[in-house]
């Protein structure tokens, strides 16, 4: 192995999230972050419930972050040639379809938060017995929801003629953000690799959760041709190499969806370990080992990781919360209650009045464990004395209560109650939220002092890959942590939680069922189907008239 600089071998991590793209450089021997660069990515919301991003903005932001980070290394007198591998972690379920010849996106990326597919979900369930949302769970581990990639791809097929034609001609490529970046970074139209890993594939509703391959039945159900799907690989192996830029020739050897990457970064390699990531949304993953656990209470069965071509896959149960950090941006940008997201902690600490406000932030419906796309946000308990700080506090508590919702179900289904809650993500910098989380769940909350565990997981997978071998997972020391312990009584905890459940009930049944526009054939069929009923009514009327005349004789 060539001689490395004073930090030894370095591993890069592309962390492409919902709000921003980042590139971080880690020292493989210590897990220390040496440098990073971050660029925000614009979200476009052309209609209510629509959230989309330009795939080229995503790619260009990643390239700029890499270039800037390499410049930073040079300024720090660190040789960029010490970077031996790069891993990718990404926002999951976000769906991109692009032309396989030109490499141009055929539509904006539809972000995981997007709910435009509610009507698509209803249409797909129309022919399913009892409109059962869990109809496909035995195959893919997931309920039918606007959340997942296959439903988004089906919407694109049904609504964008260019994409329907490309799918039929098999001249397009389908992928989540990891596939798009891997294809572009390894050459694009000039030999780019169309691949994904098992963790991202497990979020599409198209992969068989047992075989870890694209499933014919699922592809047929969603009418998505298998030929446009990426090849499914493990989470840790050399996929290909950068073809351009300052990292040209460096292998890309790790790939994990962001929540699974955080599970790896938190060293949750044992069955029964779990972590909760607080970002745009909030995601609690529980390692179930090699066992496939199918939830009956709204949790998702997903692949946690597969660290190597021949490694045994490890599974997880996941509780997904749609709205967490984004709620505080809403309070800042839409209501003007906050000047900055960071201000939330101080404004609540300075509040002197007692408040019993409850806030259910169901902007795009409720995810686990409810899975109610008809839910909408409610704020309960307002009085004329309610200060704005009370609403901010209620938003904080909403994140914690939703986490308790999931923890309760997880403890019930897994049989091994969580004794501690490992946490990570940007919101964990807020000490008040962490203390609330411990109080409202009744368990210690354990926070790593180095909060970049999502990117760390991707770096670990890349450094561990066969042929790279600079990161030893089993003997590797985790990052230092601090702890938050419960400070309220169980009675107070239960009273506050019961108020939350009352607010949940008030948030349901707000969004009426969307009735799709029907074409002429629909009305023709409806007319034909109504003829027998009309004839029945008409003939009954005639018989009634005849009977009256006969009885009148």
């Amino acid at each position: 192995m060539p001689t490395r600089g004073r930090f030894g071998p370095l591993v890069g991590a592309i962390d492409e999230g919902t709000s921003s793209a980042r590139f971080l450089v880690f020292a493989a021997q210590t897990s220390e972050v040496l440098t990073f660069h971050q660029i925000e990515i614009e979200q476009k919301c052309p209609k209510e419930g629509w959230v989309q991003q330009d795939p080229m903005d995503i790619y260009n932001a990643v390239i700029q972050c890499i270039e800037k980070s390499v410049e930073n290394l040079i300024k720090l007198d660190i040789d960029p040639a010490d970077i031996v591998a790069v891993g990718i972690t990404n926002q999951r379920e976000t769906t991109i379809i692009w032309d396989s010849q030109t490499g141009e996106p055929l539509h904006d990326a539809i972000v995981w938060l997007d709910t435009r597919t509610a009507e698509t979900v209803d249409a797909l369930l129309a022919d399913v017995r009892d409109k059962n949302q869990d109809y496909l769970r035995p195959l893919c581990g997931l309920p039918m929801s606007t959340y997942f990639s296959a439903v988004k791809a089906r919407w694109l097929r049904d609504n964008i003629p260019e994409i329907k034609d490309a799918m039929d001609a098999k001249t397009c490529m389908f992928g989540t953000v990891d596939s798009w970046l891997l294809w572009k970074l390894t050459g694009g139209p000039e030999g780019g690799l169309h691949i994904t890993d098992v963790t991202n594939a497990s979020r599409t509703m198209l992969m068989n959760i047992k075989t870890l391959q694209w499933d014919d039945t699922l592809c047929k159900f969603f009418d998505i041709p298998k030929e446009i799907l990426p090849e499914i690989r493990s989470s840790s192996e050399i996929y290909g190499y950068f073809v351009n830029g300052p990292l040209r020739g460096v292998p890309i050897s790790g790939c994990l969806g962001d929540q699974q990457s955080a599970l790896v970064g938190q060293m949750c390699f044992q069955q029964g370990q779990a972590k909760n990531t607080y970002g745009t949304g909030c995601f609690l993953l529980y390692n179930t080992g090699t066992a496939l656990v199918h939830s009956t209470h709204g949790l998702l069965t997903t692949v946690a990781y597969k660290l190597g071509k021949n490694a045994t896959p490890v599974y997880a149960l996941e509780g997904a919360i749609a709205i967490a950090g984004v709620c505080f941006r809403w309070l800042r940008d839409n209501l003007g209650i906050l000047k900055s997201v960071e201000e939330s902690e101080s404004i609540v600490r300075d509040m002197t009045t007692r408040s019993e406000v409850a806030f259910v932030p169901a902007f795009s419906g409720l995810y686990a464990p409810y899975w109610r796309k008809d839910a909408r946000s409610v704020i309960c308990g307002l009085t004329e004395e309610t200060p704005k700080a009370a609403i901010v506090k209620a938003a904080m508590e909403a994140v914690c209560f939703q986490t308790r919702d999931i923890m309760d179900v997880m403890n019930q289904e897994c049989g091994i109650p969580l004794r501690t809650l490992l946490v990570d993500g940007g919101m964990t910098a807020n000490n008040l939220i962490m203390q609330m989380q411990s109080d409202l769940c009744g368990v210690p909350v354990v926070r790593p002092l180095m909060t970049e565990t999502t990117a760390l997981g991707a770096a670990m997978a890349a450094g561990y890959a066969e042929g790279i071998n600079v990161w030893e997972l089993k003997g590797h020391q985790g990052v230092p942590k601090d702890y938050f312990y419960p400070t309220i009584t169980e009675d107070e905890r239960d009273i506050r939680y019961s108020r939350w459940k009352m607010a949940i009930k008030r948030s349901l049944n707000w969004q009426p069922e969307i009735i799709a526009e029907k074409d002429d054939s629909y009305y023709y069929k409806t007319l034909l189907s109504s003829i027998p009923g009309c004839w029945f009514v008409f003939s009954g009327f005639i018989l009634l008239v005849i009977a009256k005349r006969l009885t009148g004789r």
Side-chain angles (χ1 to χ4, degrees), residues 278 345 349 400 428 430-445 447 483-488 493 496:
Y278 300 75
E345 181 173 0
R349 286 194 184 279
C400 303
T428 61
N430 188 313
N431 291 326
L432 185 55
I433 291 180
M434 294 298 96
Q435 186 59 58
M436 284 181 179
Q437 188 69 86
S438 180
D439 287 341
L440 297 177
C441 288
V443 298
V445 167
R447 178 181 65 182
Y483 294 78
F484 297 84
Y485 296 97
T487 60
I488 65 175
R493 183 179 306 121
R496 293 168 68 177

PDB file of all heavy atoms in Angstrom, residues 278 345 349 400 428 430-445 447 483-488 493 496:
ATOM      1  N   TYR A 278     -32.874  12.685  13.020  1.00  0.00           N
ATOM      2  CA  TYR A 278     -33.720  13.870  12.997  1.00  0.00           C
ATOM      3  C   TYR A 278     -33.228  14.799  11.888  1.00  0.00           C
ATOM      4  O   TYR A 278     -32.208  15.463  12.041  1.00  0.00           O
ATOM      5  CB  TYR A 278     -33.654  14.600  14.339  1.00  0.00           C
ATOM      6  CG  TYR A 278     -34.100  13.775  15.528  1.00  0.00           C
ATOM      7  CD1 TYR A 278     -33.282  12.772  16.048  1.00  0.00           C
ATOM      8  CD2 TYR A 278     -35.322  14.010  16.138  1.00  0.00           C
ATOM      9  CE1 TYR A 278     -33.679  12.024  17.140  1.00  0.00           C
ATOM     10  CE2 TYR A 278     -35.728  13.269  17.239  1.00  0.00           C
ATOM     11  CZ  TYR A 278     -34.908  12.268  17.729  1.00  0.00           C
ATOM     12  OH  TYR A 278     -35.301  11.527  18.803  1.00  0.00           O
ATOM     13  N   GLU A 345     -34.642  26.894  20.211  1.00  0.00           N
ATOM     14  CA  GLU A 345     -34.320  26.457  21.570  1.00  0.00           C
ATOM     15  C   GLU A 345     -34.398  27.604  22.565  1.00  0.00           C
ATOM     16  O   GLU A 345     -35.019  27.486  23.637  1.00  0.00           O
ATOM     17  CB  GLU A 345     -32.934  25.814  21.615  1.00  0.00           C
ATOM     18  CG  GLU A 345     -32.561  25.307  22.996  1.00  0.00           C
ATOM     19  CD  GLU A 345     -31.263  24.509  23.010  1.00  0.00           C
ATOM     20  OE1 GLU A 345     -30.640  24.353  21.935  1.00  0.00           O
ATOM     21  OE2 GLU A 345     -30.877  24.045  24.098  1.00  0.00           O
ATOM     22  N   ARG A 349     -36.998  28.145  25.840  1.00  0.00           N
ATOM     23  CA  ARG A 349     -36.423  28.204  27.192  1.00  0.00           C
ATOM     24  C   ARG A 349     -36.825  29.486  27.914  1.00  0.00           C
ATOM     25  O   ARG A 349     -36.981  29.508  29.143  1.00  0.00           O
ATOM     26  CB  ARG A 349     -34.898  28.109  27.112  1.00  0.00           C
ATOM     27  CG  ARG A 349     -34.383  26.713  26.793  1.00  0.00           C
ATOM     28  CD  ARG A 349     -32.892  26.621  27.066  1.00  0.00           C
ATOM     29  NE  ARG A 349     -32.347  25.329  26.674  1.00  0.00           N
ATOM     30  CZ  ARG A 349     -32.423  24.223  27.423  1.00  0.00           C
ATOM     31  NH1 ARG A 349     -33.057  24.278  28.593  1.00  0.00           N
ATOM     32  NH2 ARG A 349     -31.882  23.103  26.994  1.00  0.00           N
ATOM     33  N   CYS A 400     -41.076  14.524  19.165  1.00  0.00           N
ATOM     34  CA  CYS A 400     -40.833  13.552  20.241  1.00  0.00           C
ATOM     35  C   CYS A 400     -42.010  12.597  20.407  1.00  0.00           C
ATOM     36  O   CYS A 400     -41.817  11.392  20.620  1.00  0.00           O
ATOM     37  CB  CYS A 400     -40.552  14.279  21.546  1.00  0.00           C
ATOM     38  SG  CYS A 400     -39.163  15.438  21.471  1.00  0.00           S
ATOM     39  N   THR A 428     -30.402  17.208  16.446  1.00  0.00           N
ATOM     40  CA  THR A 428     -29.872  16.763  17.736  1.00  0.00           C
ATOM     41  C   THR A 428     -28.970  17.806  18.385  1.00  0.00           C
ATOM     42  O   THR A 428     -28.630  17.686  19.561  1.00  0.00           O
ATOM     43  CB  THR A 428     -29.103  15.432  17.606  1.00  0.00           C
ATOM     44  OG1 THR A 428     -27.988  15.613  16.723  1.00  0.00           O
ATOM     45  CG2 THR A 428     -30.006  14.331  17.069  1.00  0.00           C
ATOM     46  N   ASN A 430     -30.011  20.564  19.135  1.00  0.00           N
ATOM     47  CA  ASN A 430     -30.936  21.254  20.027  1.00  0.00           C
ATOM     48  C   ASN A 430     -31.071  20.438  21.311  1.00  0.00           C
ATOM     49  O   ASN A 430     -31.745  19.408  21.361  1.00  0.00           O
ATOM     50  CB  ASN A 430     -32.296  21.404  19.337  1.00  0.00           C
ATOM     51  CG  ASN A 430     -33.265  22.275  20.110  1.00  0.00           C
ATOM     52  OD1 ASN A 430     -33.427  22.120  21.310  1.00  0.00           O
ATOM     53  ND2 ASN A 430     -33.935  23.172  19.398  1.00  0.00           N
ATOM     54  N   ASN A 431     -30.420  20.893  22.380  1.00  0.00           N
ATOM     55  CA  ASN A 431     -30.424  20.166  23.646  1.00  0.00           C
ATOM     56  C   ASN A 431     -31.823  20.028  24.243  1.00  0.00           C
ATOM     57  O   ASN A 431     -32.140  19.021  24.882  1.00  0.00           O
ATOM     58  CB  ASN A 431     -29.509  20.860  24.663  1.00  0.00           C
ATOM     59  CG  ASN A 431     -28.051  20.750  24.290  1.00  0.00           C
ATOM     60  OD1 ASN A 431     -27.611  19.756  23.728  1.00  0.00           O
ATOM     61  ND2 ASN A 431     -27.285  21.781  24.593  1.00  0.00           N
ATOM     62  N   LEU A 432     -32.652  21.027  24.019  1.00  0.00           N
ATOM     63  CA  LEU A 432     -33.995  20.999  24.590  1.00  0.00           C
ATOM     64  C   LEU A 432     -34.835  19.884  23.958  1.00  0.00           C
ATOM     65  O   LEU A 432     -35.570  19.173  24.664  1.00  0.00           O
ATOM     66  CB  LEU A 432     -34.675  22.354  24.404  1.00  0.00           C
ATOM     67  CG  LEU A 432     -36.053  22.525  25.049  1.00  0.00           C
ATOM     68  CD1 LEU A 432     -36.002  22.216  26.538  1.00  0.00           C
ATOM     69  CD2 LEU A 432     -36.585  23.939  24.799  1.00  0.00           C
ATOM     70  N   ILE A 433     -34.731  19.723  22.653  1.00  0.00           N
ATOM     71  CA  ILE A 433     -35.469  18.644  21.992  1.00  0.00           C
ATOM     72  C   ILE A 433     -34.981  17.292  22.486  1.00  0.00           C
ATOM     73  O   ILE A 433     -35.771  16.368  22.720  1.00  0.00           O
ATOM     74  CB  ILE A 433     -35.335  18.747  20.457  1.00  0.00           C
ATOM     75  CG1 ILE A 433     -36.085  19.977  19.946  1.00  0.00           C
ATOM     76  CG2 ILE A 433     -35.877  17.481  19.784  1.00  0.00           C
ATOM     77  CD1 ILE A 433     -36.009  20.165  18.450  1.00  0.00           C
ATOM     78  N   MET A 434     -33.677  17.162  22.671  1.00  0.00           N
ATOM     79  CA  MET A 434     -33.142  15.888  23.154  1.00  0.00           C
ATOM     80  C   MET A 434     -33.647  15.570  24.565  1.00  0.00           C
ATOM     81  O   MET A 434     -33.972  14.426  24.881  1.00  0.00           O
ATOM     82  CB  MET A 434     -31.611  15.921  23.132  1.00  0.00           C
ATOM     83  CG  MET A 434     -31.006  16.016  21.725  1.00  0.00           C
ATOM     84  SD  MET A 434     -31.412  14.595  20.668  1.00  0.00           S
ATOM     85  CE  MET A 434     -32.845  15.205  19.743  1.00  0.00           C
ATOM     86  N   GLN A 435     -33.733  16.607  25.427  1.00  0.00           N
ATOM     87  CA  GLN A 435     -34.252  16.381  26.774  1.00  0.00           C
ATOM     88  C   GLN A 435     -35.741  16.045  26.726  1.00  0.00           C
ATOM     89  O   GLN A 435     -36.211  15.158  27.456  1.00  0.00           O
ATOM     90  CB  GLN A 435     -34.020  17.616  27.641  1.00  0.00           C
ATOM     91  CG  GLN A 435     -34.411  17.419  29.103  1.00  0.00           C
ATOM     92  CD  GLN A 435     -33.652  16.277  29.752  1.00  0.00           C
ATOM     93  OE1 GLN A 435     -32.428  16.277  29.784  1.00  0.00           O
ATOM     94  NE2 GLN A 435     -34.391  15.276  30.263  1.00  0.00           N
ATOM     95  N   MET A 436     -36.488  16.746  25.866  1.00  0.00           N
ATOM     96  CA  MET A 436     -37.907  16.423  25.688  1.00  0.00           C
ATOM     97  C   MET A 436     -38.083  14.975  25.229  1.00  0.00           C
ATOM     98  O   MET A 436     -38.983  14.264  25.697  1.00  0.00           O
ATOM     99  CB  MET A 436     -38.534  17.349  24.641  1.00  0.00           C
ATOM    100  CG  MET A 436     -38.822  18.750  25.101  1.00  0.00           C
ATOM    101  SD  MET A 436     -39.592  19.670  23.742  1.00  0.00           S
ATOM    102  CE  MET A 436     -39.862  21.253  24.523  1.00  0.00           C
ATOM    103  N   GLN A 437     -37.229  14.549  24.307  1.00  0.00           N
ATOM    104  CA  GLN A 437     -37.340  13.196  23.786  1.00  0.00           C
ATOM    105  C   GLN A 437     -37.150  12.168  24.892  1.00  0.00           C
ATOM    106  O   GLN A 437     -37.894  11.180  24.988  1.00  0.00           O
ATOM    107  CB  GLN A 437     -36.304  12.966  22.681  1.00  0.00           C
ATOM    108  CG  GLN A 437     -36.467  11.649  21.944  1.00  0.00           C
ATOM    109  CD  GLN A 437     -37.711  11.616  21.091  1.00  0.00           C
ATOM    110  OE1 GLN A 437     -37.705  12.054  19.962  1.00  0.00           O
ATOM    111  NE2 GLN A 437     -38.800  11.089  21.636  1.00  0.00           N
ATOM    112  N   SER A 438     -36.164  12.385  25.743  1.00  0.00           N
ATOM    113  CA  SER A 438     -35.946  11.481  26.863  1.00  0.00           C
ATOM    114  C   SER A 438     -37.124  11.503  27.830  1.00  0.00           C
ATOM    115  O   SER A 438     -37.607  10.453  28.281  1.00  0.00           O
ATOM    116  CB  SER A 438     -34.654  11.865  27.592  1.00  0.00           C
ATOM    117  OG  SER A 438     -34.426  11.006  28.688  1.00  0.00           O
ATOM    118  N   ASP A 439     -37.638  12.697  28.128  1.00  0.00           N
ATOM    119  CA  ASP A 439     -38.764  12.817  29.053  1.00  0.00           C
ATOM    120  C   ASP A 439     -40.016  12.121  28.523  1.00  0.00           C
ATOM    121  O   ASP A 439     -40.699  11.405  29.261  1.00  0.00           O
ATOM    122  CB  ASP A 439     -39.079  14.297  29.309  1.00  0.00           C
ATOM    123  CG  ASP A 439     -38.050  14.984  30.192  1.00  0.00           C
ATOM    124  OD1 ASP A 439     -37.308  14.265  30.900  1.00  0.00           O
ATOM    125  OD2 ASP A 439     -37.990  16.227  30.167  1.00  0.00           O
ATOM    126  N   LEU A 440     -40.330  12.343  27.253  1.00  0.00           N
ATOM    127  CA  LEU A 440     -41.593  11.860  26.709  1.00  0.00           C
ATOM    128  C   LEU A 440     -41.559  10.390  26.316  1.00  0.00           C
ATOM    129  O   LEU A 440     -42.608   9.769  26.157  1.00  0.00           O
ATOM    130  CB  LEU A 440     -42.002  12.719  25.507  1.00  0.00           C
ATOM    131  CG  LEU A 440     -42.272  14.192  25.848  1.00  0.00           C
ATOM    132  CD1 LEU A 440     -42.589  14.992  24.595  1.00  0.00           C
ATOM    133  CD2 LEU A 440     -43.395  14.326  26.871  1.00  0.00           C
ATOM    134  N   CYS A 441     -40.357   9.815  26.161  1.00  0.00           N
ATOM    135  CA  CYS A 441     -40.241   8.385  25.871  1.00  0.00           C
ATOM    136  C   CYS A 441     -39.844   7.572  27.102  1.00  0.00           C
ATOM    137  O   CYS A 441     -39.995   6.351  27.113  1.00  0.00           O
ATOM    138  CB  CYS A 441     -39.221   8.140  24.753  1.00  0.00           C
ATOM    139  SG  CYS A 441     -39.801   8.661  23.131  1.00  0.00           S
ATOM    140  N   GLY A 442     -39.309   8.240  28.106  1.00  0.00           N
ATOM    141  CA  GLY A 442     -38.953   7.549  29.333  1.00  0.00           C
ATOM    142  C   GLY A 442     -37.711   6.699  29.248  1.00  0.00           C
ATOM    143  O   GLY A 442     -37.535   5.765  30.040  1.00  0.00           O
ATOM    144  N   VAL A 443     -36.815   7.012  28.313  1.00  0.00           N
ATOM    145  CA  VAL A 443     -35.554   6.274  28.188  1.00  0.00           C
ATOM    146  C   VAL A 443     -34.422   7.273  27.986  1.00  0.00           C
ATOM    147  O   VAL A 443     -34.646   8.393  27.511  1.00  0.00           O
ATOM    148  CB  VAL A 443     -35.581   5.276  27.001  1.00  0.00           C
ATOM    149  CG1 VAL A 443     -36.656   4.222  27.199  1.00  0.00           C
ATOM    150  CG2 VAL A 443     -35.771   6.013  25.672  1.00  0.00           C
ATOM    151  N   PRO A 444     -33.189   6.879  28.319  1.00  0.00           N
ATOM    152  CA  PRO A 444     -32.055   7.764  28.032  1.00  0.00           C
ATOM    153  C   PRO A 444     -31.872   7.971  26.526  1.00  0.00           C
ATOM    154  O   PRO A 444     -32.075   7.046  25.738  1.00  0.00           O
ATOM    155  CB  PRO A 444     -30.860   7.013  28.632  1.00  0.00           C
ATOM    156  CG  PRO A 444     -31.452   6.066  29.620  1.00  0.00           C
ATOM    157  CD  PRO A 444     -32.784   5.675  29.070  1.00  0.00           C
ATOM    158  N   VAL A 445     -31.521   9.169  26.149  1.00  0.00           N
ATOM    159  CA  VAL A 445     -31.207   9.507  24.757  1.00  0.00           C
ATOM    160  C   VAL A 445     -29.698   9.673  24.650  1.00  0.00           C
ATOM    161  O   VAL A 445     -29.088  10.407  25.438  1.00  0.00           O
ATOM    162  CB  VAL A 445     -31.939  10.790  24.322  1.00  0.00           C
ATOM    163  CG1 VAL A 445     -31.391  11.323  23.010  1.00  0.00           C
ATOM    164  CG2 VAL A 445     -33.439  10.531  24.210  1.00  0.00           C
ATOM    165  N   ARG A 447     -26.531  10.732  22.338  1.00  0.00           N
ATOM    166  CA  ARG A 447     -26.181  11.549  21.177  1.00  0.00           C
ATOM    167  C   ARG A 447     -24.679  11.526  20.942  1.00  0.00           C
ATOM    168  O   ARG A 447     -23.898  11.818  21.851  1.00  0.00           O
ATOM    169  CB  ARG A 447     -26.632  12.991  21.408  1.00  0.00           C
ATOM    170  CG  ARG A 447     -26.274  13.953  20.290  1.00  0.00           C
ATOM    171  CD  ARG A 447     -26.736  15.361  20.613  1.00  0.00           C
ATOM    172  NE  ARG A 447     -26.042  15.935  21.774  1.00  0.00           N
ATOM    173  CZ  ARG A 447     -26.298  17.130  22.281  1.00  0.00           C
ATOM    174  NH1 ARG A 447     -27.255  17.882  21.756  1.00  0.00           N
ATOM    175  NH2 ARG A 447     -25.612  17.578  23.322  1.00  0.00           N
ATOM    176  N   TYR A 483     -25.320  12.060  27.051  1.00  0.00           N
ATOM    177  CA  TYR A 483     -26.564  11.394  27.433  1.00  0.00           C
ATOM    178  C   TYR A 483     -27.571  12.397  27.990  1.00  0.00           C
ATOM    179  O   TYR A 483     -27.207  13.384  28.639  1.00  0.00           O
ATOM    180  CB  TYR A 483     -26.287  10.327  28.506  1.00  0.00           C
ATOM    181  CG  TYR A 483     -25.449   9.172  28.013  1.00  0.00           C
ATOM    182  CD1 TYR A 483     -24.071   9.303  27.877  1.00  0.00           C
ATOM    183  CD2 TYR A 483     -26.029   7.949  27.696  1.00  0.00           C
ATOM    184  CE1 TYR A 483     -23.288   8.252  27.427  1.00  0.00           C
ATOM    185  CE2 TYR A 483     -25.256   6.888  27.238  1.00  0.00           C
ATOM    186  CZ  TYR A 483     -23.889   7.046  27.112  1.00  0.00           C
ATOM    187  OH  TYR A 483     -23.125   5.992  26.657  1.00  0.00           O
ATOM    188  N   PHE A 484     -28.856  12.104  27.736  1.00  0.00           N
ATOM    189  CA  PHE A 484     -29.964  12.846  28.329  1.00  0.00           C
ATOM    190  C   PHE A 484     -30.870  11.826  29.023  1.00  0.00           C
ATOM    191  O   PHE A 484     -31.259  10.824  28.420  1.00  0.00           O
ATOM    192  CB  PHE A 484     -30.758  13.594  27.257  1.00  0.00           C
ATOM    193  CG  PHE A 484     -29.964  14.644  26.528  1.00  0.00           C
ATOM    194  CD1 PHE A 484     -29.156  14.291  25.451  1.00  0.00           C
ATOM    195  CD2 PHE A 484     -30.002  15.971  26.919  1.00  0.00           C
ATOM    196  CE1 PHE A 484     -28.408  15.236  24.767  1.00  0.00           C
ATOM    197  CE2 PHE A 484     -29.255  16.933  26.245  1.00  0.00           C
ATOM    198  CZ  PHE A 484     -28.458  16.568  25.165  1.00  0.00           C
ATOM    199  N   TYR A 485     -31.216  12.111  30.297  1.00  0.00           N
ATOM    200  CA  TYR A 485     -32.006  11.163  31.085  1.00  0.00           C
ATOM    201  C   TYR A 485     -33.374  11.763  31.414  1.00  0.00           C
ATOM    202  O   TYR A 485     -33.515  12.998  31.535  1.00  0.00           O
ATOM    203  CB  TYR A 485     -31.272  10.821  32.387  1.00  0.00           C
ATOM    204  CG  TYR A 485     -29.961  10.099  32.157  1.00  0.00           C
ATOM    205  CD1 TYR A 485     -28.752  10.800  32.148  1.00  0.00           C
ATOM    206  CD2 TYR A 485     -29.933   8.721  31.951  1.00  0.00           C
ATOM    207  CE1 TYR A 485     -27.544  10.140  31.945  1.00  0.00           C
ATOM    208  CE2 TYR A 485     -28.731   8.050  31.746  1.00  0.00           C
ATOM    209  CZ  TYR A 485     -27.544   8.767  31.736  1.00  0.00           C
ATOM    210  OH  TYR A 485     -26.360   8.113  31.528  1.00  0.00           O
ATOM    211  N   PRO A 486     -34.409  10.911  31.568  1.00  0.00           N
ATOM    212  CA  PRO A 486     -35.760  11.408  31.883  1.00  0.00           C
ATOM    213  C   PRO A 486     -35.784  12.196  33.183  1.00  0.00           C
ATOM    214  O   PRO A 486     -35.125  11.823  34.171  1.00  0.00           O
ATOM    215  CB  PRO A 486     -36.593  10.126  32.009  1.00  0.00           C
ATOM    216  CG  PRO A 486     -35.830   9.079  31.249  1.00  0.00           C
ATOM    217  CD  PRO A 486     -34.385   9.434  31.410  1.00  0.00           C
ATOM    218  N   THR A 487     -36.573  13.286  33.194  1.00  0.00           N
ATOM    219  CA  THR A 487     -36.653  14.139  34.386  1.00  0.00           C
ATOM    220  C   THR A 487     -38.088  14.350  34.851  1.00  0.00           C
ATOM    221  O   THR A 487     -38.320  15.101  35.805  1.00  0.00           O
ATOM    222  CB  THR A 487     -36.016  15.515  34.108  1.00  0.00           C
ATOM    223  OG1 THR A 487     -36.717  16.147  33.024  1.00  0.00           O
ATOM    224  CG2 THR A 487     -34.549  15.404  33.784  1.00  0.00           C
ATOM    225  N   ILE A 488     -39.084  13.723  34.189  1.00  0.00           N
ATOM    226  CA  ILE A 488     -40.478  13.874  34.602  1.00  0.00           C
ATOM    227  C   ILE A 488     -41.016  12.527  35.062  1.00  0.00           C
ATOM    228  O   ILE A 488     -40.441  11.474  34.767  1.00  0.00           O
ATOM    229  CB  ILE A 488     -41.360  14.446  33.465  1.00  0.00           C
ATOM    230  CG1 ILE A 488     -41.431  13.469  32.283  1.00  0.00           C
ATOM    231  CG2 ILE A 488     -40.849  15.799  33.018  1.00  0.00           C
ATOM    232  CD1 ILE A 488     -42.389  13.912  31.186  1.00  0.00           C
ATOM    233  N   ARG A 493     -45.837  12.041  32.035  1.00  0.00           N
ATOM    234  CA  ARG A 493     -45.546  11.576  30.681  1.00  0.00           C
ATOM    235  C   ARG A 493     -46.808  11.033  30.008  1.00  0.00           C
ATOM    236  O   ARG A 493     -47.111  11.360  28.860  1.00  0.00           O
ATOM    237  CB  ARG A 493     -44.459  10.504  30.747  1.00  0.00           C
ATOM    238  CG  ARG A 493     -44.001   9.969  29.394  1.00  0.00           C
ATOM    239  CD  ARG A 493     -42.904   8.936  29.578  1.00  0.00           C
ATOM    240  NE  ARG A 493     -41.819   9.482  30.369  1.00  0.00           N
ATOM    241  CZ  ARG A 493     -41.389   8.974  31.518  1.00  0.00           C
ATOM    242  NH1 ARG A 493     -41.962   7.879  32.022  1.00  0.00           N
ATOM    243  NH2 ARG A 493     -40.397   9.534  32.171  1.00  0.00           N
ATOM    244  N   ARG A 496     -49.455  13.854  29.172  1.00  0.00           N
ATOM    245  CA  ARG A 496     -49.079  14.625  27.983  1.00  0.00           C
ATOM    246  C   ARG A 496     -49.236  13.813  26.718  1.00  0.00           C
ATOM    247  O   ARG A 496     -49.654  14.327  25.670  1.00  0.00           O
ATOM    248  CB  ARG A 496     -47.639  15.142  28.144  1.00  0.00           C
ATOM    249  CG  ARG A 496     -47.510  16.179  29.265  1.00  0.00           C
ATOM    250  CD  ARG A 496     -46.083  16.478  29.636  1.00  0.00           C
ATOM    251  NE  ARG A 496     -45.371  17.177  28.585  1.00  0.00           N
ATOM    252  CZ  ARG A 496     -44.103  17.597  28.695  1.00  0.00           C
ATOM    253  NH1 ARG A 496     -43.449  17.384  29.846  1.00  0.00           N
ATOM    254  NH2 ARG A 496     -43.513  18.221  27.709  1.00  0.00           N
TER     255      ARG A 496
END
